[in-house]
Amino acid sequence: MSKNIINFIVTIVLAYVLSLFLPWWSVMTAALATALFIPLRKAAVFFIPFLAVLLFWFVMSYFLSSGNDFTLAKRIAVLLPLGGNPYVLMLVTGVVGGLAAGISAIFGKQLSLVLVGRK
């Protein structure tokens, strides 16, 4: 398997495990750790964790919202300029989490370069 797929899968699994015990920023910790230990190149450093957390948060918000027939998601989507569409709200949620994870993965990559440079 390529490093991209391994990083994608490990980021999702680590984000899920950490989200059981930590608040929302646990996805940032997961992305930082995977970028630190599974090095990626160029734009993949940002986009692989971004897509992993986007998918993770979209799926988690879907499962959590489907339990109550999307009642709360519909009400929040009405408050935001989303036209009352709960699926767009889930996508926005995923994008926010993905941005946080992508930026922290860039930090993890930069941290790994600094640590390797000290040897």
Side-chain angles (χ1 to χ4, degrees):
M1 260 195 285
S2 72
K3 286 186 177 182
N4 292 344
I5 296 171
I6 292 171
N7 190 304
F8 185 84
I9 293 169
V10 170
T11 302
I12 290 177
V13 170
L14 193 58
Y16 176 72
V17 170
L18 289 176
S19 70
L20 294 175
F21 306 106
L22 296 173
W24 68 271
W25 48 263
S26 62
V27 296
M28 295 173 70
T29 307
L32 186 136
T34 56
L36 192 62
F37 296 115
I38 305 171
L40 298 174
R41 295 180 183 258
K42 300 183 182 179
V45 172
F46 176 80
F47 286 111
I48 298 298
F50 174 83
L51 293 174
V53 172
L54 185 142
L55 178 69
F56 170 64
W57 272 16
F58 184 86
V59 169
M60 285 299 292
S61 64
Y62 178 82
F63 283 127
L64 291 173
S65 294
S66 66
N68 63 7
D69 198 30
F70 302 98
T71 304
L72 182 60
K74 289 177 187 175
R75 290 183 180 186
I76 293 174
V78 168
L79 291 175
L80 298 174
L82 302 176
N85 191 343
Y87 300 108
V88 175
L89 177 66
M90 290 179 223
L91 183 63
V92 169
T93 301
V95 168
V96 168
L99 285 172
I103 292 169
S104 66
I106 291 173
F107 177 67
K109 175 67 174 181
Q110 294 298 319
L111 187 62
S112 71
L113 292 175
V114 167
L115 294 176
V116 168
R118 290 193 179 189
K119 288 184 180 178

